[in-house]
Amino acid sequence: MNIALIGYGKMGKEIEAIATSRDHTIGLRLDSANTIDNADLSNIDAAIDFSVPNSAVNNIKACLSVKLPIIVGTTGWMKNFEEVKDLCIHTQGALFYASNFSLGVNIMFNANEKLARLMNPHTSYNVSIEETHHTEKLDSPSGTAITLAEGLIKNLSSKSKWENKETSEDGSISIISHREGNVPGTHSVSYDSSVDNIELKHTAKGRAGFAIGAVVAAEWLPGKKGVFTMDDLLEN
Ligand SMILES: NC(=O)c1ccc[n+]([C@@H]2O[C@H](COP(=O)([O-])OP(=O)(O)OC[C@H]3O[C@@H](n4cnc5c(N)ncnc54)[C@H](O)[C@@H]3O)[C@@H](O)[C@H]2O)c1
C-alpha cells in the first residue's frame, strides 16, 4: 500500500518504521509546514492521521472529499465527531477512529466494562481514573481515559458524567491527569473502599503498540464504507 502520513511527529515516525517493515510505502508526509490543503492525494491508498487536535477535522474532510480511506489516531476533536460521522456516511467514505490503537488497551476497554458490571451493586467502592502522559500531549484528559469513563458510565448506574479533576460530587467520576517526562501512556481504573482497592492498569512501554494497530487498521479499511473503530477490527 501507498500510505500518506498526516502528522510526522513522534507517532508519524513510529508508524513509518512499522509500515515500511510490512512492505508499505510512504507516498506523502504532512506536518504543520506542509498541510493537506496543498497536498496531492492521488496514488495514495490510505491516510493515517496522528497530528494535532485542531487539524484533524480538516484532514478528515479533505480525505473524504476525494474518497481516500482515513485512519485517525489524533485525539481531542470529539466535539466534531457527529458532524464528521454524518459527512462520512453522506459521502460513502471510510473513516477509522480509535482513541487508542494498542491491542492491550482495547483488551482493557473490554475488561473495564466487565469489571464495572461486576462492581455495579457494590456501592461501598468509589471508582476513579488516572492517566499519565509526556509533557507535550496537547489534550487532557486523554482520549483513552474518556473511553474508559464512557465504559464506566454505561455500566455503573451510580455514574452519569466525568470531570477532569478530583471530585466527590454524586454521579461524577474523577479523571486525574498527570503530565510528566516522556511517558508514552499509562491508564488505571481504581475502585477504592475503606478496606481494599481493586485496580485495572495498562502501561505502554513505548509507541510501537499504537503504531502497529494503526498500520493494521490501514491494511483493513480500504474497500469498506462507513465509520469503524477497534471493535470492528478485532472482531473480524
Ligand atoms: N490513538 C492512539 O493510539 C494514539 C497514540 C499516541 C498518540 N495519539 C495522538 O496522536 C496525536 C499525535 O501524537 P504525537 O505524539 O505524534 O504528537 P507530535 O507532537 O510528536 O506530532 C504532531 C505532528 O502533527 C503535525 N501537525 C501539526 N499541525 C498539522 C497540520 N495542520 N497538518 C498536518 N500535520 C500537522 C506536527 O508538525 C507534528 O509533526 C496526538 O493527538 C496524540 O494524542 C493517539
Side-chain angles (χ1 to χ4, degrees), residues 6-12 30-32 34-36 50-53 55 59 73-75 98-102 134 136-137 139 207 210:
I6 309 178
Y8 194 54
K10 291 180 282 298
M11 280 304 302
L30 302 175
D31 60 18
S32 56
N34 178 24
T35 70
I36 204 159
F50 280 74
S51 60
V52 289
S55 82
N59 297 333
T74 306
T75 51
S99 65
N100 198 305
F101 277 89
S102 99
H134 55 89
E136 288 172 19
K137 186 166 176 60
D139 53 321
R207 295 184 171 82
F210 310 128

mmCIF file of all heavy atoms in Angstrom, residues 6-12 30-32 34-36 50-53 55 59 73-75 98-102 134 136-137 139 207 210, ligand 1:
data_model
loop_
_atom_site.group_PDB
_atom_site.id
_atom_site.type_symbol
_atom_site.label_atom_id
_atom_site.label_comp_id
_atom_site.label_asym_id
_atom_site.label_seq_id
_atom_site.Cartn_x
_atom_site.Cartn_y
_atom_site.Cartn_z
ATOM 1 N N ILE A 6 -0.287 11.847 7.884
ATOM 2 C CA ILE A 6 -0.695 13.221 8.215
ATOM 3 C C ILE A 6 -0.270 13.453 9.652
ATOM 4 O O ILE A 6 -0.838 12.879 10.586
ATOM 5 C CB ILE A 6 -2.218 13.417 8.040
ATOM 6 C CG1 ILE A 6 -2.665 12.928 6.657
ATOM 7 C CG2 ILE A 6 -2.570 14.879 8.249
ATOM 8 C CD1 ILE A 6 -4.166 13.027 6.417
ATOM 9 N N GLY A 7 0.779 14.270 9.834
ATOM 10 C CA GLY A 7 1.438 14.399 11.131
ATOM 11 C C GLY A 7 2.686 13.522 11.079
ATOM 12 O O GLY A 7 2.593 12.299 10.853
ATOM 13 N N TYR A 8 3.840 14.161 11.210
ATOM 14 C CA TYR A 8 5.102 13.422 11.117
ATOM 15 C C TYR A 8 5.941 13.736 12.360
ATOM 16 O O TYR A 8 7.079 14.156 12.283
ATOM 17 C CB TYR A 8 5.821 13.818 9.827
ATOM 18 C CG TYR A 8 6.953 12.897 9.448
ATOM 19 C CD1 TYR A 8 6.749 11.528 9.333
ATOM 20 C CD2 TYR A 8 8.231 13.403 9.187
ATOM 21 C CE1 TYR A 8 7.785 10.683 8.983
ATOM 22 C CE2 TYR A 8 9.276 12.564 8.834
ATOM 23 C CZ TYR A 8 9.039 11.211 8.746
ATOM 24 O OH TYR A 8 10.078 10.364 8.396
ATOM 25 N N GLY A 9 5.286 13.517 13.523
ATOM 26 C CA GLY A 9 5.967 13.719 14.806
ATOM 27 C C GLY A 9 6.332 12.372 15.402
ATOM 28 O O GLY A 9 6.718 11.440 14.672
ATOM 29 N N LYS A 10 6.193 12.251 16.714
ATOM 30 C CA LYS A 10 6.595 11.011 17.399
ATOM 31 C C LYS A 10 5.856 9.805 16.822
ATOM 32 O O LYS A 10 6.457 8.781 16.508
ATOM 33 C CB LYS A 10 6.314 11.145 18.917
ATOM 34 C CG LYS A 10 7.225 12.153 19.608
ATOM 35 C CD LYS A 10 6.951 12.268 21.089
ATOM 36 C CE LYS A 10 5.727 13.095 21.417
ATOM 37 N NZ LYS A 10 5.761 14.508 20.994
ATOM 38 N N MET A 11 4.534 9.923 16.678
ATOM 39 C CA MET A 11 3.754 8.783 16.171
ATOM 40 C C MET A 11 3.957 8.584 14.672
ATOM 41 O O MET A 11 4.060 7.453 14.196
ATOM 42 C CB MET A 11 2.262 8.964 16.492
ATOM 43 C CG MET A 11 1.886 8.599 17.911
ATOM 44 S SD MET A 11 2.353 6.917 18.362
ATOM 45 C CE MET A 11 1.476 5.961 17.142
ATOM 46 N N GLY A 12 3.967 9.687 13.904
ATOM 47 C CA GLY A 12 4.158 9.566 12.447
ATOM 48 C C GLY A 12 5.427 8.785 12.124
ATOM 49 O O GLY A 12 5.429 7.896 11.263
ATOM 50 N N LEU A 30 2.941 14.719 5.794
ATOM 51 C CA LEU A 30 2.435 16.072 6.009
ATOM 52 C C LEU A 30 2.668 16.501 7.452
ATOM 53 O O LEU A 30 2.602 15.673 8.363
ATOM 54 C CB LEU A 30 0.936 16.141 5.686
ATOM 55 C CG LEU A 30 0.550 15.738 4.254
ATOM 56 C CD1 LEU A 30 -0.965 15.736 4.092
ATOM 57 C CD2 LEU A 30 1.200 16.669 3.238
ATOM 58 N N ASP A 31 2.967 17.779 7.639
ATOM 59 C CA ASP A 31 3.113 18.305 9.001
ATOM 60 C C ASP A 31 2.625 19.745 9.035
ATOM 61 O O ASP A 31 1.964 20.198 8.089
ATOM 62 C CB ASP A 31 4.565 18.152 9.491
ATOM 63 C CG ASP A 31 5.562 18.893 8.619
ATOM 64 O OD1 ASP A 31 5.131 19.791 7.854
ATOM 65 O OD2 ASP A 31 6.756 18.589 8.708
ATOM 66 N N SER A 32 2.968 20.484 10.089
ATOM 67 C CA SER A 32 2.410 21.839 10.254
ATOM 68 C C SER A 32 2.878 22.779 9.149
ATOM 69 O O SER A 32 2.199 23.753 8.831
ATOM 70 C CB SER A 32 2.789 22.404 11.622
ATOM 71 O OG SER A 32 4.181 22.376 11.773
ATOM 72 N N ASN A 34 3.547 21.746 6.011
ATOM 73 C CA ASN A 34 3.222 21.155 4.705
ATOM 74 C C ASN A 34 1.898 20.425 4.883
ATOM 75 O O ASN A 34 1.868 19.225 5.115
ATOM 76 C CB ASN A 34 4.375 20.199 4.346
ATOM 77 C CG ASN A 34 4.155 19.488 3.038
ATOM 78 O OD1 ASN A 34 3.425 19.963 2.172
ATOM 79 N ND2 ASN A 34 4.776 18.325 2.888
ATOM 80 N N THR A 35 0.788 21.177 4.817
ATOM 81 C CA THR A 35 -0.502 20.624 5.238
ATOM 82 C C THR A 35 -1.267 19.997 4.075
ATOM 83 O O THR A 35 -0.868 20.111 2.911
ATOM 84 C CB THR A 35 -1.394 21.710 5.883
ATOM 85 O OG1 THR A 35 -1.793 22.609 4.863
ATOM 86 C CG2 THR A 35 -0.678 22.449 6.991
ATOM 87 N N ILE A 36 -2.393 19.400 4.402
ATOM 88 C CA ILE A 36 -3.197 18.695 3.397
ATOM 89 C C ILE A 36 -3.817 19.661 2.382
ATOM 90 O O ILE A 36 -4.159 19.254 1.268
ATOM 91 C CB ILE A 36 -4.282 17.838 4.101
ATOM 92 C CG1 ILE A 36 -4.720 16.689 3.202
ATOM 93 C CG2 ILE A 36 -5.481 18.701 4.542
ATOM 94 C CD1 ILE A 36 -5.373 15.542 3.931
ATOM 95 N N PHE A 50 -2.018 11.220 12.629
ATOM 96 C CA PHE A 50 -1.615 11.423 14.028
ATOM 97 C C PHE A 50 -1.009 12.814 14.056
ATOM 98 O O PHE A 50 0.208 12.976 13.964
ATOM 99 C CB PHE A 50 -0.595 10.372 14.496
ATOM 100 C CG PHE A 50 -1.199 9.045 14.881
ATOM 101 C CD1 PHE A 50 -1.664 8.158 13.920
ATOM 102 C CD2 PHE A 50 -1.292 8.668 16.225
ATOM 103 C CE1 PHE A 50 -2.225 6.931 14.281
ATOM 104 C CE2 PHE A 50 -1.849 7.438 16.591
ATOM 105 C CZ PHE A 50 -2.318 6.575 15.622
ATOM 106 N N SER A 51 -1.896 13.832 14.107
ATOM 107 C CA SER A 51 -1.419 15.213 14.032
ATOM 108 C C SER A 51 -1.796 15.948 15.315
ATOM 109 O O SER A 51 -1.361 15.535 16.394
ATOM 110 C CB SER A 51 -1.981 15.879 12.762
ATOM 111 O OG SER A 51 -3.400 15.885 12.776
ATOM 112 N N VAL A 52 -2.541 17.025 15.180
ATOM 113 C CA VAL A 52 -2.917 17.820 16.369
ATOM 114 C C VAL A 52 -4.438 17.983 16.393
ATOM 115 O O VAL A 52 -5.078 17.963 15.332
ATOM 116 C CB VAL A 52 -2.217 19.209 16.368
ATOM 117 C CG1 VAL A 52 -0.730 19.077 16.646
ATOM 118 C CG2 VAL A 52 -2.437 19.941 15.048
ATOM 119 N N PRO A 53 -5.019 18.160 17.613
ATOM 120 C CA PRO A 53 -6.484 18.216 17.700
ATOM 121 C C PRO A 53 -7.127 19.207 16.733
ATOM 122 O O PRO A 53 -8.146 18.897 16.117
ATOM 123 C CB PRO A 53 -6.719 18.628 19.163
ATOM 124 C CG PRO A 53 -5.526 18.106 19.898
ATOM 125 C CD PRO A 53 -4.376 18.222 18.943
ATOM 126 N N SER A 55 -6.281 20.186 13.780
ATOM 127 C CA SER A 55 -6.179 19.971 12.324
ATOM 128 C C SER A 55 -6.895 18.692 11.885
ATOM 129 O O SER A 55 -7.137 18.494 10.691
ATOM 130 C CB SER A 55 -4.707 19.930 11.876
ATOM 131 O OG SER A 55 -4.144 18.661 12.101
ATOM 132 N N ASN A 59 -8.389 17.597 8.073
ATOM 133 C CA ASN A 59 -7.721 16.496 7.374
ATOM 134 C C ASN A 59 -8.719 15.415 6.962
ATOM 135 O O ASN A 59 -8.673 14.890 5.845
ATOM 136 C CB ASN A 59 -6.641 15.874 8.268
ATOM 137 C CG ASN A 59 -5.537 16.859 8.596
ATOM 138 O OD1 ASN A 59 -5.276 17.784 7.822
ATOM 139 N ND2 ASN A 59 -4.890 16.676 9.734
ATOM 140 N N GLY A 73 -5.783 8.673 14.566
ATOM 141 C CA GLY A 73 -5.386 8.414 15.950
ATOM 142 C C GLY A 73 -5.339 9.691 16.767
ATOM 143 O O GLY A 73 -5.264 9.635 17.992
ATOM 144 N N THR A 74 -5.367 10.829 16.076
ATOM 145 C CA THR A 74 -5.349 12.114 16.787
ATOM 146 C C THR A 74 -6.525 12.172 17.752
ATOM 147 O O THR A 74 -7.647 11.807 17.387
ATOM 148 C CB THR A 74 -5.451 13.281 15.777
ATOM 149 O OG1 THR A 74 -4.420 13.119 14.819
ATOM 150 C CG2 THR A 74 -5.312 14.626 16.474
ATOM 151 N N THR A 75 -6.265 12.644 18.965
ATOM 152 C CA THR A 75 -7.334 12.746 19.965
ATOM 153 C C THR A 75 -7.668 14.230 20.189
ATOM 154 O O THR A 75 -6.992 15.120 19.657
ATOM 155 C CB THR A 75 -6.887 12.088 21.285
ATOM 156 O OG1 THR A 75 -5.611 12.622 21.658
ATOM 157 C CG2 THR A 75 -6.781 10.590 21.140
ATOM 158 N N ALA A 98 -9.763 5.537 16.499
ATOM 159 C CA ALA A 98 -9.599 4.877 17.803
ATOM 160 C C ALA A 98 -8.874 5.832 18.740
ATOM 161 O O ALA A 98 -7.867 6.434 18.360
ATOM 162 C CB ALA A 98 -8.805 3.578 17.662
ATOM 163 N N SER A 99 -9.405 5.975 19.945
ATOM 164 C CA SER A 99 -8.713 6.812 20.935
ATOM 165 C C SER A 99 -7.416 6.135 21.357
ATOM 166 O O SER A 99 -6.508 6.785 21.877
ATOM 167 C CB SER A 99 -9.602 7.069 22.152
ATOM 168 O OG SER A 99 -9.873 5.856 22.841
ATOM 169 N N ASN A 100 -7.327 4.826 21.121
ATOM 170 C CA ASN A 100 -6.102 4.097 21.441
ATOM 171 C C ASN A 100 -6.010 2.863 20.543
ATOM 172 O O ASN A 100 -6.916 2.040 20.532
ATOM 173 C CB ASN A 100 -6.092 3.681 22.914
ATOM 174 C CG ASN A 100 -4.695 3.330 23.370
ATOM 175 O OD1 ASN A 100 -4.050 2.490 22.759
ATOM 176 N ND2 ASN A 100 -4.225 3.969 24.415
ATOM 177 N N PHE A 101 -4.926 2.768 19.770
ATOM 178 C CA PHE A 101 -4.780 1.675 18.806
ATOM 179 C C PHE A 101 -4.083 0.454 19.389
ATOM 180 O O PHE A 101 -3.886 -0.526 18.674
ATOM 181 C CB PHE A 101 -3.995 2.164 17.579
ATOM 182 C CG PHE A 101 -4.857 2.872 16.572
ATOM 183 C CD1 PHE A 101 -5.067 4.235 16.643
ATOM 184 C CD2 PHE A 101 -5.490 2.160 15.564
ATOM 185 C CE1 PHE A 101 -5.872 4.887 15.718
ATOM 186 C CE2 PHE A 101 -6.302 2.796 14.638
ATOM 187 C CZ PHE A 101 -6.496 4.165 14.716
ATOM 188 N N SER A 102 -3.687 0.484 20.666
ATOM 189 C CA SER A 102 -2.943 -0.679 21.161
ATOM 190 C C SER A 102 -3.894 -1.824 21.520
ATOM 191 O O SER A 102 -4.980 -1.613 22.070
ATOM 192 C CB SER A 102 -2.052 -0.289 22.352
ATOM 193 O OG SER A 102 -2.642 -0.627 23.566
ATOM 194 N N HIS A 134 3.417 12.056 28.572
ATOM 195 C CA HIS A 134 4.522 13.011 28.389
ATOM 196 C C HIS A 134 4.012 14.461 28.361
ATOM 197 O O HIS A 134 2.826 14.718 28.081
ATOM 198 C CB HIS A 134 5.252 12.685 27.077
ATOM 199 C CG HIS A 134 4.346 12.659 25.887
ATOM 200 N ND1 HIS A 134 4.073 13.774 25.138
ATOM 201 C CD2 HIS A 134 3.601 11.657 25.351
ATOM 202 C CE1 HIS A 134 3.211 13.470 24.183
ATOM 203 N NE2 HIS A 134 2.910 12.170 24.295
ATOM 204 N N GLU A 136 4.363 16.860 26.288
ATOM 205 C CA GLU A 136 3.975 17.518 25.031
ATOM 206 C C GLU A 136 2.531 17.224 24.636
ATOM 207 O O GLU A 136 2.032 17.785 23.657
ATOM 208 C CB GLU A 136 4.895 17.047 23.881
ATOM 209 C CG GLU A 136 6.287 17.616 23.978
ATOM 210 C CD GLU A 136 7.226 16.989 22.950
ATOM 211 O OE1 GLU A 136 6.758 16.399 21.957
ATOM 212 O OE2 GLU A 136 8.440 17.060 23.179
ATOM 213 N N LYS A 137 1.868 16.324 25.363
ATOM 214 C CA LYS A 137 0.492 15.977 24.982
ATOM 215 C C LYS A 137 -0.405 17.210 25.110
ATOM 216 O O LYS A 137 -0.419 17.883 26.143
ATOM 217 C CB LYS A 137 -0.024 14.829 25.873
ATOM 218 C CG LYS A 137 -1.394 14.333 25.429
ATOM 219 C CD LYS A 137 -1.747 13.012 26.071
ATOM 220 C CE LYS A 137 -3.145 12.567 25.716
ATOM 221 N NZ LYS A 137 -3.383 12.366 24.283
ATOM 222 N N ASP A 139 -3.957 17.443 24.608
ATOM 223 C CA ASP A 139 -5.311 17.316 25.161
ATOM 224 C C ASP A 139 -5.288 16.669 26.542
ATOM 225 O O ASP A 139 -4.408 15.878 26.868
ATOM 226 C CB ASP A 139 -6.229 16.529 24.200
ATOM 227 C CG ASP A 139 -5.640 15.185 23.791
ATOM 228 O OD1 ASP A 139 -4.417 15.109 23.574
ATOM 229 O OD2 ASP A 139 -6.395 14.196 23.726
ATOM 230 N N ARG A 207 5.833 3.447 21.868
ATOM 231 C CA ARG A 207 4.756 3.834 20.950
ATOM 232 C C ARG A 207 4.479 2.763 19.883
ATOM 233 O O ARG A 207 3.562 2.911 19.079
ATOM 234 C CB ARG A 207 5.100 5.160 20.267
ATOM 235 C CG ARG A 207 5.163 6.300 21.268
ATOM 236 C CD ARG A 207 5.394 7.664 20.647
ATOM 237 N NE ARG A 207 5.210 8.684 21.672
ATOM 238 C CZ ARG A 207 6.134 9.041 22.556
ATOM 239 N NH1 ARG A 207 7.323 8.473 22.539
ATOM 240 N NH2 ARG A 207 5.867 9.960 23.476
ATOM 241 N N PHE A 210 0.860 1.302 19.526
ATOM 242 C CA PHE A 210 -0.124 2.175 18.861
ATOM 243 C C PHE A 210 0.097 2.129 17.345
ATOM 244 O O PHE A 210 -0.844 2.094 16.553
ATOM 245 C CB PHE A 210 0.022 3.630 19.318
ATOM 246 C CG PHE A 210 0.061 3.832 20.813
ATOM 247 C CD1 PHE A 210 1.089 4.557 21.417
ATOM 248 C CD2 PHE A 210 -0.935 3.313 21.628
ATOM 249 C CE1 PHE A 210 1.123 4.759 22.790
ATOM 250 C CE2 PHE A 210 -0.907 3.514 23.003
ATOM 251 C CZ PHE A 210 0.128 4.231 23.578
HETATM 252 N N1 LIG B 1 -4.948 6.807 19.172
HETATM 253 C C1 LIG B 1 -3.754 6.406 19.666
HETATM 254 O O1 LIG B 1 -3.487 5.193 19.844
HETATM 255 C C2 LIG B 1 -2.705 7.442 19.966
HETATM 256 C C3 LIG B 1 -1.431 7.077 20.446
HETATM 257 C C4 LIG B 1 -0.476 8.066 20.614
HETATM 258 C C5 LIG B 1 -0.783 9.396 20.323
HETATM 259 N N2 LIG B 1 -2.041 9.712 19.889
HETATM 260 C C6 LIG B 1 -2.419 11.074 19.484
HETATM 261 O O2 LIG B 1 -1.815 11.332 18.223
HETATM 262 C C7 LIG B 1 -1.556 12.728 18.081
HETATM 263 C C8 LIG B 1 -0.094 12.940 17.690
HETATM 264 O O3 LIG B 1 0.747 12.492 18.738
HETATM 265 P P1 LIG B 1 2.346 12.651 18.635
HETATM 266 O O4 LIG B 1 2.856 12.181 19.939
HETATM 267 O O5 LIG B 1 2.875 12.054 17.374
HETATM 268 O O6 LIG B 1 2.493 14.263 18.555
HETATM 269 P P2 LIG B 1 3.708 15.128 17.980
HETATM 270 O O7 LIG B 1 3.565 16.488 18.596
HETATM 271 O O8 LIG B 1 5.002 14.406 18.147
HETATM 272 O O9 LIG B 1 3.405 15.235 16.396
HETATM 273 C C9 LIG B 1 2.364 16.006 15.868
HETATM 274 C C10 LIG B 1 2.627 16.219 14.384
HETATM 275 O O10 LIG B 1 1.486 16.881 13.796
HETATM 276 C C11 LIG B 1 1.980 17.845 12.885
HETATM 277 N N3 LIG B 1 0.988 18.854 12.550
HETATM 278 C C12 LIG B 1 0.644 19.992 13.203
HETATM 279 N N4 LIG B 1 -0.309 20.663 12.503
HETATM 280 C C13 LIG B 1 -0.565 19.918 11.400
HETATM 281 C C14 LIG B 1 -1.434 20.076 10.290
HETATM 282 N N5 LIG B 1 -2.240 21.151 10.186
HETATM 283 N N6 LIG B 1 -1.443 19.123 9.316
HETATM 284 C C15 LIG B 1 -0.645 18.034 9.417
HETATM 285 N N7 LIG B 1 0.207 17.828 10.451
HETATM 286 C C16 LIG B 1 0.245 18.761 11.423
HETATM 287 C C17 LIG B 1 3.222 18.409 13.582
HETATM 288 O O11 LIG B 1 4.042 19.127 12.645
HETATM 289 C C18 LIG B 1 3.849 17.106 14.065
HETATM 290 O O12 LIG B 1 4.594 16.519 13.008
HETATM 291 C C19 LIG B 1 -1.997 13.362 19.412
HETATM 292 O O13 LIG B 1 -3.324 13.831 19.281
HETATM 293 C C20 LIG B 1 -1.945 12.183 20.394
HETATM 294 O O14 LIG B 1 -2.833 12.350 21.490
HETATM 295 C C21 LIG B 1 -3.001 8.760 19.713
#
